[in-house]
Amino acid sequence: MNIEQVDLYHIRIPLVSPFETSFGTSTERESIIARITADGVTGWGECVADQEPGYAYETVVTAWHIITDFLLPRLFAGPISDPRETPSRFAWVRGHQMAKATLESAIWDIASQQAGKSLHDYIGGARDRVVVGVSIGIQPTTQQLVEKVLGFREIGYTRIKIKIKPGRDLNDARAVRAAIPDVPLMVDANSAYRLSDASLFEQMEDLNLLMIEQPLAYDDIYEHSKLQAMLRTPICLDESIHSTADARFAIETGACRIINIKQGRVGGLTNAIAVHDVCASAGVPVWCGGMLETGIGRALNVALATLPNFRLPGDLSASNRYYNPDLIEPPFVFNADGTLSVPTEPGLGIHVDQGRLDRVTLRKATFCKP
Ligand code: OSB
Ligand code: MG
């Protein structure tokens, strides 16, 4: 594959409704869309970094800098024969997983198109539908949260995740559990607690939660192992896992019993598959996390979630959960059985609406092979 041209779009697109987590509230999403042309074929990628470094240290601006000043020169340096080579091509740059993943997505899209396969076939995915859950932000009141949850149940979402933060935790979780006694329910703390808050999580034990996601610090594994030893409810790590080494460390220390895989957080699809494989051999189930992606990033997540050890519903809701309209046409729509269909056309299998993309673009830059 000879990369000829890379177009970057810094976009800002309104969210259907505000999304509040323990680290802040978003009413719109900024990200970078990458469009790569190689051998006359076009591939797409979406950067999951946010405007602010509240979830991870990367931001849209740091990703733009890393991509343009350090990654693109390495991409243009020579042909790529397999997308799995991309992480080593970029390895000189330490960290900046989300910046790297943006370009790698487009490379996988192109490679699978060249092979005449949908991306999920190309990576050996085993399903044509993926089971999805919904991630619900903190609402102004507990009552409004319960109403939101019931609304998503009505649409047909089969797994509910609610965000928690200090002061909006046990009561919210209890109220939601009372409203949906038999539905798989989980909480995501986004690192808002300390080990000294362990009694709070002990009080959640009788709510029969599917898991507690990332209760402790974003860079911690050790204290999660202490907390997990105190709880029957499985801990799931999100923020703490950036590599196969982190996954092994977390599993071997008993810091979690489930891992959330986000391809952007681990530096792209190659590493995401490697983390999936490490977890599969250890008997640890994984699920596909989300970062409020548009249809472009969503398509990559959906392909990833077809691998066999994705044994729990992902944060892969339909396009209209976040964007209306989405940047792709047709959008991802919710099937009555609580799933999204995996695109069958070659590559990511999506059609980007170029007019819509241009309308949400704040800044565009084009780079050609020197
Ligand atoms: O922690 O999983 C998270 C969104 C932005 C940043 C972090 C997280 C989330 C979500 C939303 O929970 C998941 C989605 O895209 O539906
Ligand atoms: Mg999370």
Side-chain angles (χ1 to χ4, degrees), residues 249-298:
F249 181 27
I251 292 166
E252 287 177 21
T253 56
C256 65
R257 296 188 197 133
I258 299 172
I259 287 180
N260 161 336
I261 298 184
K262 293 178 178 168
Q263 58 82 33
R265 199 193 61 227
V266 301
L269 188 57
T270 305
N271 290 347
I273 295 169
V275 173
H276 163 274
D277 294 348
V278 162
C279 294
S281 11
V284 170
V286 303
W287 55 278
C288 187
M291 293 287 288
L292 315 178
E293 289 89 346
T294 74
I296 298 170
R298 198 163 295 281

Side-chain angles (χ1 to χ4, degrees), residues 23-26 29-30 49-60:
F23 59 84
T25 305
S26 306
R29 181 80 169 116
E30 283 191 29
D50 203 352
Q51 299 98 298
E52 298 176 336
Y55 167 83
Y57 66 84
E58 293 185 81
T59 68
V60 178

Side-chain angles (χ1 to χ4, degrees), residues 293-330:
E293 289 89 346
T294 74
I296 298 170
R298 198 163 295 281
L300 188 63
N301 289 345
V302 165
L304 174 62
T306 64
L307 295 178
N309 194 39
F310 282 84
R311 287 190 268 148
L312 292 154
D315 281 348
L316 294 165
S317 25
S319 287
N320 69 2
R321 153 86 183 98
Y322 293 117
Y323 306 104
N324 204 359
D326 199 343
L327 295 178
I328 59 166
E329 203 53 60

Side-chain angles (χ1 to χ4, degrees), residues 1-5 36-44 78-86 104-123 344-349:
M1 175 190 311
N2 283 291
I3 312 264
E4 289 140 10
Q5 184 175 320
I36 298 187
T37 320
D39 313 324
V41 178
T42 297
W44 294 92
I80 291 188
S81 55
D82 188 301
R84 292 168 190 82
E85 289 170 13
T86 320
E104 197 184 308
S105 165
I107 291 167
W108 280 97
D109 188 9
I110 294 168
S112 46
Q113 288 180 62
Q114 289 178 327
K117 291 185 171 178
S118 69
L119 180 58
H120 94 279
D121 275 342
Y122 189 65
I123 63 173
T344 53
E345 288 177 44
L348 286 172

Side-chain angles (χ1 to χ4, degrees), residues 41-109:
V41 178
T42 297
W44 294 92
E46 174 172 353
C47 184
V48 300
D50 203 352
Q51 299 98 298
E52 298 176 336
Y55 167 83
Y57 66 84
E58 293 185 81
T59 68
V60 178
V61 173
T62 69
W64 186 281
H65 162 55
I66 294 293
I67 290 172
T68 57
D69 290 338
F70 303 109
L71 302 181
L72 291 186
R74 284 171 172 77
L75 205 56
F76 285 130
I80 291 188
S81 55
D82 188 301
R84 292 168 190 82
E85 289 170 13
T86 320
S88 53
R89 186 70 72 92
F90 293 160
W92 179 82
V93 175
R94 293 183 178 179
H96 297 281
Q97 310 286 56
M98 297 174 177
K100 292 171 178 173
T102 309
L103 300 176
E104 197 184 308
S105 165
I107 291 167
W108 280 97
D109 188 9

